[in-house]
Amino acid sequence: MTQASAVDLHRPKVEYFNIDELTNVDPKGFVRQVERYQVEPWGLYMARTSDHPEFDYIQSWLLPTVSLRATVFHFTPEYRRDQNYYIDIGEFEQVDAKQWRSVDHYLDLVVRTGREVELLDVDELLAAHAAGYLTLTQAQQAIESATGTIDGIAAHGHSFEAWLKTQGIVLTWQ
């Protein structure tokens, strides 16, 4: 019998997007300069450079009505990954006219356009719920959002953007 690997148990990651200041405050409290924000009726777009060793630029859309954050990472050549979109499941909201907030609910999706969607971090979601970091309602909503997104993408030829168009969401990327 093998022992399951330990889960990196942590509270939900909270991030802030300050439109007027052109800043993004990451879950560890680091303030990052943002090159561009764009507000649409369906969400918030952010584009900024990154000092991460694996990628040097990040573009994200916060999409509250579908409980998703869709990200395109611009990986450095030595860290290229086979993915088109990385999707976080969670709560994404406009706090006021100047600020948005995201609360990550552990589940993630990796979209490989035209081929597949991979669900990640189910173990983290279950451990977080068991630790009291998410209510049963929040955990159930995360599962429903993830599975609904997987079904929608699959039903549209494994195209994330084609599925979003049926939700009235048309993304633009820099």
Side-chain angles (χ1 to χ4, degrees):
M1 188 182 312
T2 61
Q3 185 175 1
S5 62
V7 172
D8 177 26
L9 186 60
H10 57 83
R11 293 196 173 279
K13 294 176 182 175
V14 178
E15 202 165 339
Y16 292 93
F17 305 83
N18 300 307
I19 297 169
D20 284 356
E21 298 170 11
L22 285 174
T23 60
N24 168 219
V25 182
D26 76 10
K28 294 179 182 175
F30 292 108
V31 179
R32 314 272 189 211
Q33 282 304 125
V34 172
E35 287 184 8
R36 180 173 171 222
Y37 278 122
Q38 176 181 328
V39 179
E40 296 290 344
W42 59 81
L44 175 69
Y45 172 78
M46 177 197 71
R48 67 171 175 81
T49 59
S50 174
D51 58 0
H52 194 279
E54 296 181 17
F55 54 91
D56 56 14
Y57 203 78
I58 181 174
Q59 298 179 77
S60 287
W61 274 98
L62 305 183
L63 305 169
T65 60
V66 289
S67 302
L68 305 176
R69 175 182 181 175
T71 300
V72 173
F73 292 101
H74 295 260
F75 292 102
T76 59
E78 60 272 18
Y79 290 102
R80 294 230 189 269
R81 293 193 187 164
D82 180 23
Q83 70 183 43
N84 300 98
Y85 303 100
Y86 192 89
I87 299 174
D88 296 289
I89 308 298
E91 295 175 25
F92 308 96
E93 64 179 345
Q94 184 172 2
V95 177
D96 57 37
K98 298 178 181 183
Q99 186 178 70
W100 287 59
R101 179 176 77 116
S102 75
V103 181
D104 186 273
H105 284 176
Y106 304 94
L107 295 180
D108 301 305
L109 305 174
V110 173
V111 179
R112 296 177 186 96
T113 302
R115 295 183 293 147
E116 65 183 351
V117 180
E118 180 181 2
L119 174 64
L120 305 174
D121 301 328
V122 173
D123 56 342
E124 286 186 32
L125 173 76
L126 296 175
H129 171 63
Y133 295 158
L134 288 182
T135 66
L136 179 60
T137 301
Q138 290 170 315
Q140 180 176 343
Q141 177 60 42
I143 292 167
E144 289 174 0
S145 294
T147 55
T149 300
I150 292 167
D151 287 349
I153 293 169
H156 290 84
H158 287 94
S159 172
F160 175 58
E161 293 200 31
W163 170 67
L164 284 179
K165 285 180 184 175
T166 68
Q167 308 299 305
I169 299 170
V170 178
L171 304 183
T172 55
W173 301 93
Q174 185 167 283

